[in-house]
Amino acid sequence: MKFKSLLLGSAAGLLAVGGAQAADLPVKAKAVEYVKICSLYGAGFYYIPGTDTCIKLGGYVRADVLANTNSDYGIGQGAPGGANNRLDNYYQTRARFDFNVDTRTATEYGVVRTYADTIFSWDSTAVTGSNPSAFSTGSASLGLYHAFIQFAGFTFGRTVSIFDTPWQSYPAGGPDFLPGGSNNVTGVNQIAYTADFGQGITASVALQDLTTAAGGQTNLYNASITAGGLSGFTSASAAGAAFIQGIYGTNDWGGTRMPDIVGAVRVDQAWGLAQFSVAAHELHTAYYGTTEPTGHPDDKWGWAVQGALSIKNIPTGAGDSINLQAVYTDGASRYNFQSLFPQNIYIYGGSGIGAYQSLGFAGIADGVFGTGTGIDTVKTWGFRGGYTHNWSPNWVSAIYGAYASLRYGNTGKALICANFVAAYGAATATCNPDFNLAVIGGNVVWTPVKNLAFTADLSYVWLDQKYSGTIAGAATANAAVAKPAATYELKDQGNLQLLLRAQRTF
């Protein structure tokens, strides 16, 4: 019994010592779960650790220098770009960082996808005004171009419009302001459904919210004549000064009622792409006057139709392409003079016959109305296209062009021209608010190493406005660009500009 007790005691002691020693040893680390490549959705995707969701991060860093314009890829008009005096800036610079996140998860209903794309920009400070001058305050900016969820054919959130072509308004590179079709590269809030029939054939329908201050609605002019001049202006001089800036009345939209209804059919195959798009756009005004008893015109629907064609790998070389599109709108001008195109234009020239200077101006609208009238819709048409040629893996060049025409209806034109005569008289000038606008340009891109590109792009804009003769009087003064009250010749105007860009994509 004594021997048995000794053995048990010794074993207990050994266990205690062993336990103490084991407690002093480091615990075995849990196996590290390394990031795994996800090959389901293409290059660049990885599994988020601990999940079955794949993620891809991307973006770019860009530096721009622009000559003879006052905004990054701007048309060279307005204040101060259209001044043609000591106020307009000869160059503009921008630094931009783009960051996007793409996640995808396979489910029994198909792939669930989320995508977000944010833009951080710093634009050089432009000088505005005169005596005293001021520096603009819009240096740093943050943008959200895309933020959407895709599930079972549906898209919910912000992204490009299904009305748009895949190249947006860049058929062969080029500036942001090409007319001749829609462009929602900065995104539009929407609910969309796309049916995929295979072989690259798809059909889509969407409800889109274009009622935004920047890049959404164009003008819906209330051109009623009041004792003070145009509706909403304090005096005839104020109305006249606005008129020569392409502002033909008070922008008089009512509250939101219906989103735009958009549809598209697309064939996207190895040879290229063909697309047909349609859109319906409701025009809902406020009141003829400032209060409810003044009444209002009935609502009206505008519409747009667009066709597009892309031909890839044409005989001139591997990777070469031609992109073409054409559009017609009635009461939906943004589908031609797109989201990045200025909706009011004025450009001064260096000289005018028997005048202080020459001046060209234009205003874009969906419709025009005045007291007691209905909405007279504005009709437009346009086209744009481009050709891209690959000289080698490192050198690419392209040419592009665009043309768009706008025509006011008889009622709208009569209202606008009555205000024109009230401001400037009828003896020395002819009123016609219709206009055409053309852009032509080309670029060269050098890619010395993968995902690093240097671009030089030269473009010319021509405003073919239909006013003629000369205007004079107090209403010709334009304080925004230091223009005095004087005699000005109404004349077509042009602007040449250059973009130099360096971009690293990751």
Side-chain angles (χ1 to χ4, degrees), residues 98-372:
D98 173 277
F99 181 68
N100 57 69
V101 181
D102 191 346
T103 71
R104 307 188 193 189
T105 307
T107 74
E108 60 270 30
Y109 297 99
V111 175
V112 177
R113 182 190 184 198
T114 66
Y115 184 84
D117 184 21
T118 56
I119 296 286
F120 306 86
S121 299
W122 186 277
D123 290 82
S124 62
T125 302
V127 178
T128 59
S130 174
N131 193 25
S133 296
F135 289 94
S136 64
T137 57
S139 297
S141 61
L142 169 65
L144 180 66
Y145 284 3
H146 304 270
F148 63 82
I149 301 167
Q150 287 181 325
F151 174 69
F154 286 92
T155 298
F156 308 92
R158 183 173 185 84
T159 187
V160 298
S161 170
I162 64 170
F163 193 92
D164 298 351
T165 61
W167 54 85
Q168 298 295 318
S169 66
Y170 315 99
D176 291 335
F177 53 77
L178 290 187
S182 66
N183 173 28
N184 291 278
V185 68
T186 58
V188 57
N189 291 354
Q190 62 186 277
I191 299 173
Y193 177 76
T194 298
D196 190 338
F197 301 102
Q199 303 298 317
I201 302 172
T202 59
S204 304
V205 63
L207 300 177
Q208 296 182 169
D209 181 11
L210 286 177
T211 54
T212 58
Q217 299 280 29
T218 186
N219 300 299
L220 182 54
Y221 282 132
N222 182 347
S224 302
I225 300 176
T226 68
L230 293 179
S231 173
F233 294 98
T234 57
S235 67
S237 293
F243 200 100
I244 57 175
Q245 296 179 36
I247 302 171
Y248 296 153
T250 304
N251 199 12
D252 211 359
W253 287 96
T256 57
R257 290 298 183 270
M258 282 290 294
D260 284 16
I261 304 169
V262 184
V265 177
R266 179 183 294 181
V267 179
D268 191 352
Q269 298 176 343
W271 60 267
L273 172 144
Q275 179 177 321
F276 180 75
S277 308
V278 295
H281 175 65
E282 187 188 28
L283 309 182
H284 175 77
T285 74
Y287 299 98
Y288 289 124
T290 56
T291 60
E292 295 173 0
T294 60
H296 59 82
D298 293 335
D299 291 359
K300 202 167 187 177
W301 281 87
W303 55 275
V305 59
Q306 177 178 265
L309 177 67
S310 177
I311 304 174
K312 302 176 182 177
N313 298 316
I314 58 179
T316 55
D320 290 8
S321 64
I322 295 176
N323 295 326
L324 302 167
Q325 67 189 107
V327 65
Y328 182 87
T329 74
D330 185 351
S333 298
R334 273 289 197 187
Y335 289 94
N336 185 358
F337 297 96
Q338 41 94 2
S339 64
L340 299 179
F341 192 92
Q343 299 302 288
N344 306 100
I345 300 169
Y346 64 94
I347 306 172
Y348 287 85
S351 63
I353 298 173
Y356 179 73
Q357 279 186 314
S358 63
L359 168 64
F361 57 91
I364 299 168
D366 284 341
V368 181
F369 67 95
T371 301

Side-chain angles (χ1 to χ4, degrees), residues 377-404:
T377 56
V378 176
K379 298 173 177 60
T380 81
W381 63 270
F383 63 86
R384 60 183 173 223
Y387 164 62
T388 301
H389 176 61
N390 292 266
W391 299 94
S392 73
N394 304 103
W395 289 95
V396 176
S397 65
I399 56 174
Y400 55 84
Y403 185 89

